[in-house]
Amino acid sequence: MPGRLTDRVLSSLDAGLATLGHGFMRRWSRVERSYRRPLSDLAFLLKFAFYPLLALGAIAWLAWDWSHDRSLNAAENAIFDRVVQWRPFEPPPSGRVVVVEIDECSLEYFRSRGEGGWPWSRQRHADLLDQLDRAGVSAVGYDVLFEDPSPIDPLGDATLEAMATGGAGRFVFASTRLHPDYDAGAPLHASMVPAAFPVAAEPRRDPRVAMLLPYGESMARFSAIANVTRNVDGVLRDIPLRETAGDWALPSLPLRLATTAMSAAPDGASATVRPNWRHDTRLPHVSAADLLAGKAVCRDPATGMPALDGRLALVGYTASGLNDAKPTPVDPVMPGVEALAEATEALVAGSAIRTPPAWLKYVLATFLVLLTTFAFYRGEPADDIDSIFIAGNLTLLSTAFIGITFFGFFFDIFASIGFVSLIFGFCRGYAGLQRGRAVGNGDFLAQYNPGTDRWLAIARLRFVLDAEHSASPAARRQREYRRRLRRFLYAGSDAVMLEGVVERKSWLHDALSDLMVLVWHGASPAAACAAAMHDLTRLERELALYDARLPDDGSVRVAFGCAEIDDAVAAGSTQPPQVRLRELIGRVLASSAEAPLARHAELSSQEIVQSGGA
C-alpha cells in the first residue's frame, strides 16, 4: 500500500509538471512569435545589408566617443583595476625604495614619553633626516610640507635648513602647486620654480604660478611638487611627474628624487607614470620611531630593519588621523607617501606599467568590428565564427594578462573586446533571424498549412567536385559552395531548407555533408514547381556571379520531386501519420536521377507524384 501510494503521488506530480511545462511552452511560443516574426520581416527587407550598416554605426560611435567622452578609455581604466588584482602573481619590490612611516606607533611612542604628539617639532624632523643620512641613504623625499617657520622651535627650523643646505640636493622637500585661480598675483614665474625645466626648444611663455614652498631658502631650492591628480572616477592610477605651465615643466617629488638619485636629466620625462601597483606585497617600510630611538620600537624585534644604505627613502605620515589617503587600484585608502614611493620605485627600478597609445584600442575595436561583420556578411557558418571569435578573444586576453604579469605592459584591449562582443551579439542574433526564417521555424515564419498548401516540391542539392582534384581542395570547395548556398537562402527565398541532416563533425558527416534539402509549397503542382524553379534559377545565377571558377572545379547536382501530401489515416489503419511526406523526402534523398543545376527545369515535369501513389 505505501509503495502504491508513493507511485500514485509521483505519477500525479510528474503528470502535473508535464502539463505545466506544456502549457508554459505553448504560451511562451506566442510571446516569442510576437517579436520574432516582425524582426524576421525586417531581416527579409534588409537582408545582408544589415552587417555593413551595423559596421558603419559601430565605427561612427567609436569616432564620436574618441572625440568626446572616451568612455571606451574610461572603461579600460576600471578594467585595469580588476586585472592588476587578478593577475597570477605580481613582481616583488626592487628594494631600492623604502617608506619611512610616521605611523600611529611612532606618534604614541613619543606621546607616552611626554614629548608631545603631532605635530612634531622641527628638531625631531631634523633628527629623523639625520638618522637617515647616517644610515647611508642616497636621497630622501620628505612628504611633509614645512610652509612657515615654527614660532616655538627656531633652533629646529635652523637645523632642518642646515640639513637641506648640507645635503646639496640629496634631501628633497615637498611643495604644493596651488589652484591656477591664484596664479595672477603670484610672485613666481614658471621658470623660477625650483628645478623647473623647459619643454620647448625656445621657451617664451613664462606665466606666473602660485606655489607653496618650504620656508627655508635651501629647503625651497631643493623642493618639488607633491600634488597628485586622480582619474575622472576618483581613483589614482597615474601619478603626475610634472605640471606644465607655459613652456616650462614643474617637476614632481618622485621625478626630482629619481633624477637626483640617478643623475639623469629630466628633459625627456613623461607627463605621468603608472606604478606597478602591488596588492599582496608592499615596499620595504620602517617606522620613524625605530630610526629615532635606534631600536625596535614599532617592529617585531625578531624582524630586521630593511636595508637603507644606498636606498631612496620617502618620509611621510601614515597614521590614520593624519593620513592623506588616496584610492588606488589595489588599496582604497593608500597613504599618499606610499603612492609617491610607488611612483619613485617605478622610475628608479624601471617597473612602471607601460600602455599603448590610447588610440590603439579604438583602432583595434574598429578592425575587429570590420572583421566580425564581414565574416557574417560572407555567410560563414555560425559555428565556425563562434569558435574563431572565442579563440581570438581568449588569445588576446591571455596576451594582456601575460603582458602585465611578466613584462609590465598593460595591453588595454579589454574594453575593445567587450565592445566587439556586443557587436558580435547583434550579428549572431540577426543571423539567428535569418536562419530561423530559412529553416521555416514557426517563431520566425508562418508555419506550413496542409489545408491550403497541399503540394510540396523537394530538391536535393549536392556539390560534386571534378575528379582531378584531391581531398583537400575538395573539402575547401565544398565548404565554399555551402557558404554561398547558405548566404543565398538566408537572404530570403520561397524555399525552406532542411539543415542539419547529420551533425557536423560526426562519424557520418563525410558521407552526408554534401546534402542540402530544400522544400517549397503551393496550392497546386504548378505553384509548387514554379516556386522551386524560380529559386533554383536564382541560385544558379548567384553561384555563377560569385565565382566564375565554380563550374571548372565541380558541378551542383539536383534531384527533384513534387507530390500532393496526404497524411490522413484511414479508419482502423495501422499506418503512421505523415507517411506520404516522409516517403517523398526519402525518395528524393535516395534518388539516383539527378541533373546539373543548369538543367533543373527538365526535372520539374518528370517528378510529380499524385496523392496516394508512389
Side-chain angles (χ1 to χ4, degrees), residues 20-38:
L20 287 175
H22 177 68
F24 172 79
M25 291 310 301
R26 288 183 59 188
R27 288 167 177 79
W28 179 244
S29 293
R30 297 192 189 100
V31 174
E32 289 180 318
R33 292 175 186 176
S34 67
Y35 68 86
R36 283 182 171 178
R37 286 190 179 178

Side-chain angles (χ1 to χ4, degrees), residues 44 54 57 81 83 132 139 145 162 196 199 209 254 285-286 299 322 365-366 373 390 458 497 541 547 588:
F44 181 73
L54 178 63
D81 299 347
V83 173
L132 289 169
L145 182 61
V199 291
V209 291
H285 57 282
V286 60
R299 72 176 190 277
L322 310 175
T366 299
T373 52
I390 293 173
I458 297 180
M497 65 177 182
R541 185 169 57 249
D547 188 353
V588 173

Side-chain angles (χ1 to χ4, degrees), residues 122-123 125-127 129 142 146 155-165 173 215 219:
R122 299 291 166 81
Q123 184 62 51
H125 286 292
D127 291 341
L129 201 55
Y142 221 97
F146 301 108
L155 180 59
D157 284 341
T159 305
L160 199 56
E161 171 68 6
M163 292 289 296
T165 304
F173 296 86
Y215 65 86
M219 295 169 67

